[in-house]
Amino acid sequence: MDANVVAELEKAGVKVEDPMRLFIPVERDEQGQVKPVGDEVPVRFGDVTAHVRLQPVSALWTGNKQPPDFTRPPFPEYEPFFFLIEATAAGFCRDTRHAEVDQEFSQLYRHLARRPDGHHKNPLFSYLRAAARLYLSLRDVSQAEFEAVAQRLHQSAKLHAGHIGSTNYFQSVLRQVLGA
């Protein structure tokens, strides 16, 4: 958890008590191209967008709490964490008008689990990582919990893959997040 980020967001009018009401919006450069998210991260809460500086994932891990078995839902304690990442993924696909294929989502989530502070050629990765960094700035999460959540997202996208080029994960999971 990062008390400075919590204070900055609250000062900007962002209610941090419910991470399920937050997401990382897509930002574009002057040419209309999607800007990858760096250290300065936009956070949307309703009509309010605040920019905060977030630490790397590895600097935000807290404690050594072990995650539950994520092979079978429900896991209500972790729903806000999953929701923040998936709402950001869904919003990215909506705003770019491009639903990533299941295999790409699976690979991005696996990369998030293995190299959370790394980079990826797909700009969506920077948004997924920013969503995780935001959640870790708001709540205490251990490295084991973080890795288990990212691995569960990887498995979910992988399980939805029907064929090369399928977008079942977006259609079945992420569209529900958007309420579409």
Side-chain angles (χ1 to χ4, degrees):
M1 188 169 139
D2 187 336
N4 292 329
V5 170
V6 172
E8 282 183 58
L9 289 171
E10 287 176 339
K11 183 178 176 184
V14 174
K15 299 203 183 311
V16 299
E17 306 83 42
D18 185 6
M20 291 178 69
R21 296 181 62 200
L22 307 176
F23 75 100
I24 310 299
V26 171
E27 291 194 323
R28 297 180 182 275
D29 62 19
E30 298 80 33
Q31 291 78 35
Q33 300 296 315
V34 173
K35 290 183 359 183
V37 178
D39 292 335
E40 196 77 20
V41 176
V43 177
R44 173 101 24 97
F45 169 74
D47 293 336
V48 175
T49 300
H51 287 78
V52 290
R53 186 167 205 76
L54 299 179
Q55 297 180 50
V57 169
S58 59
L60 293 165
W61 289 322
T62 306
N64 57 5
K65 183 177 177 185
Q66 293 302 303
D69 178 8
F70 282 135
T71 57
R72 289 200 173 121
F75 17 87
E77 178 183 347
Y78 294 87
E79 280 179 14
F81 194 2
F82 284 104
F83 190 87
L84 179 54
I85 293 172
E86 290 184 321
T88 297
F92 184 93
C93 292
R94 179 195 60 219
D95 291 350
T96 61
R97 297 179 183 200
H98 173 73
E100 292 288 348
V101 298
D102 302 329
Q103 290 175 334
E104 182 70 2
F105 270 117
S106 175
Q107 196 250 351
L108 290 170
Y109 288 137
R110 188 174 76 195
H111 192 75
L112 184 64
R114 291 183 175 177
R115 298 191 53 207
D117 292 328
H119 297 280
H120 195 278
K121 65 183 180 196
N122 187 332
L124 173 55
F125 178 77
S126 70
Y127 286 81
L128 300 174
R129 184 183 61 214
R133 290 166 54 207
L134 175 60
Y135 188 82
L136 271 65
S137 296
L138 303 177
R139 302 286 186 269
D140 289 335
V141 178
S142 70
Q143 180 177 356
E145 290 173 296
F146 169 81
E147 290 171 352
V149 166
Q151 185 62 29
R152 175 68 172 120
L153 289 166
H154 160 70
Q155 288 297 325
S156 180
K158 187 176 177 181
L159 288 171
H160 280 87
H163 55 80
I164 293 176
S166 70
T167 58
N168 296 333
Y169 175 72
F170 176 79
Q171 299 297 331
S172 299
V173 177
L174 297 184
R175 287 188 72 164
Q176 287 182 343
V177 170
L178 289 174

